[in-house]
Amino acid sequence: CYDVNRNHDDGFQSWSRGKDGRVGTGEVRNIVLRGNLIINYEDSNQRYRGTLQGIGCFDGMFVDWVVENNVVITDHFHGITLSGARDSRIVNNTVIDINEKGPGPAWIRIGNHKNGTASSGCVVRNNLTTALNVSRGRGVTVDHNLIIRDPNVLFVDARAGNLRLRYGSQAIDAGNPARAPELDAERTPRPQGKQVDVGAYEYRPE
């Protein structure tokens, strides 16, 4: 991400428009976001380095979305955010903050629409993330997510951006198979062990 103007930067962004053309008054339906790798920056000395919102969807409603197997490495609050969602799921993603400075920490969030309409019928499951910020509306299920406290004990080499699970990681066999994707971010079948793993990558023994 190169921050060269006043526009805020996104790895992916969506918003709705109603019949009258006004933003936030319609629905965006049946979108699948799967297997994306979104990296804010790899060089901490990069010129024009900005703060990248990962997957930011702020003016729903977002209906029947599937957000799975994405890896987001960013320096912003919005790792994955759906503001105003219905019957959507965020499952088996890995979201990590690239540093310990603001803005952040990077979160996975399902919240209300800007007009106050609550999200409903959504699932947030099997995600590895530095923060969760979920408004538990009508029938919003949140389970088997892990908060990243120490990346070094979870990942092969977090500093180098390798967020595959290391041997002994707490995320191995810690997931819920219900509605988990059958393949991981590298198209490895799930599960490889006794149970599906948490996060975008399934651990593969050498």
Side-chain angles (χ1 to χ4, degrees):
C1 173
Y2 289 84
D3 190 7
V4 296
N5 56 34
R6 293 186 178 182
N7 186 45
H8 69 78
D9 303 303
D10 302 270
F12 177 93
Q13 185 183 30
S14 180
W15 64 91
S16 75
R17 289 186 185 272
K19 292 181 180 179
D20 60 1
R22 289 187 299 128
V23 171
T25 60
E27 294 182 347
V28 183
R29 291 178 163 270
N30 302 315
I31 301 298
V32 177
L33 294 176
R34 178 183 294 129
N36 298 286
L37 174 60
I38 298 172
I39 302 174
N40 195 150
Y41 60 84
E42 295 178 304
D43 178 3
S44 60
N45 296 312
Q46 172 187 307
R47 293 186 68 195
Y48 306 111
R49 195 186 79 201
T51 55
L52 180 74
Q53 298 182 159
I55 296 172
C57 306
F58 303 110
D59 292 280
M61 297 295 286
F62 304 105
V63 182
D64 292 321
W65 280 47
V66 177
V67 183
E68 63 185 18
N69 286 339
N70 299 286
V71 177
V72 179
I73 305 171
T74 192
D75 184 18
H76 203 282
F77 294 109
H78 297 293
I80 300 174
T81 293
L82 301 182
S83 293
R86 188 169 71 247
D87 300 328
S88 298
R89 65 183 187 265
I90 301 175
V91 181
N92 280 102
N93 301 279
T94 298
V95 172
I96 190 169
D97 202 298
I98 207 165
N99 59 40
E100 295 181 355
K101 301 175 183 178
W107 62 38
I108 291 176
R109 171 176 170 77
I110 287 185
N112 295 343
H113 190 289
K114 288 181 180 178
N115 66 14
T117 302
S119 294
S120 63
C122 297
V123 175
V124 180
R125 175 175 293 150
N126 296 349
N127 299 290
L128 258 176
T129 179
T130 40
L132 270 177
N133 187 343
V134 179
S135 298
R136 302 195 183 209
R138 298 183 299 274
V140 177
T141 301
V142 182
D143 67 74
H144 292 78
N145 303 286
L146 288 177
I147 302 300
I148 299 166
R149 306 294 184 195
D150 183 355
N152 297 315
V153 302
L154 291 170
F155 304 116
V156 171
D157 191 349
R159 185 179 295 275
N162 185 345
L163 301 184
R164 294 167 185 85
L165 302 179
R166 65 180 299 172
Y167 175 78
S169 172
Q170 182 186 1
I172 296 171
D173 294 340
N176 181 346
R179 310 195 80 178
E182 294 181 358
L183 304 176
D184 79 350
E186 295 182 311
R187 303 190 65 78
T188 299
R190 282 192 174 97
Q192 289 290 300
K194 295 179 180 179
Q195 190 57 277
V196 300
D197 299 343
V198 173
Y201 298 115
E202 189 78 3
Y203 174 73
R204 288 183 288 179
E206 296 298 330

